[in-house]
Amino acid sequence: MNIENNIDQKYIKAKKRVEDLKGFYANLISYIIIIPMLALINYYTTWDSHWWFLYPAIFWGLGVVIHGFTVFGFGSDWEERKLKEFMENDKF
């Protein structure tokens, strides 16, 4: 029973990882497509007065970077350690 439970937990964790990766890549691809389109719209409308496409490019880009950090695990080791610590202290 314990082996089956362990396999189920690994499957659930792998499935969540795949969903996170899909979400990140969808976000990145939409960023790569939309920002140049906004730059073209800005170029043909108000290029001489204001480069407004930079605001979504910067802030959405920051969101993509943060999303990448969370998906690829930079700085998430502390979460795993805390989870193990709490599980050891509770002694299920």
Side-chain angles (χ1 to χ4, degrees), residues 50-87:
H50 188 67
W51 291 1
W52 53 261
F53 80 96
L54 289 176
Y55 300 117
I58 291 169
F59 292 114
W60 191 359
L62 184 62
V64 169
V65 168
I66 291 170
H67 193 181
F69 280 147
T70 59
V71 168
F72 293 110
F74 297 110
S76 67
D77 293 339
W78 69 272
E79 293 175 358
E80 290 292 328
R81 284 183 300 194
K82 274 295 184 188
L83 183 62
K84 287 179 185 177
E85 178 184 325
F86 288 142
M87 289 175 69

Side-chain angles (χ1 to χ4, degrees), residues 5-86:
N5 191 18
N6 192 16
I7 292 172
D8 289 341
Q9 288 177 350
K10 286 183 180 182
Y11 176 76
I12 291 169
K13 191 173 183 179
K15 188 173 181 178
K16 183 185 180 323
R17 174 83 173 140
V18 168
E19 291 296 323
D20 290 344
L21 284 171
K22 281 174 44 179
F24 171 72
Y25 286 124
N27 192 5
L28 181 64
I29 289 169
S30 61
Y31 177 81
I32 290 171
I33 292 171
I34 300 295
I35 294 300
M37 290 172 57
L38 290 176
L40 285 174
I41 292 169
N42 187 199
Y43 179 76
Y44 287 117
T45 57
T46 59
W47 189 258
D48 294 334
S49 62
H50 188 67
W51 291 1
W52 53 261
F53 80 96
L54 289 176
Y55 300 117
I58 291 169
F59 292 114
W60 191 359
L62 184 62
V64 169
V65 168
I66 291 170
H67 193 181
F69 280 147
T70 59
V71 168
F72 293 110
F74 297 110
S76 67
D77 293 339
W78 69 272
E79 293 175 358
E80 290 292 328
R81 284 183 300 194
K82 274 295 184 188
L83 183 62
K84 287 179 185 177
E85 178 184 325
F86 288 142

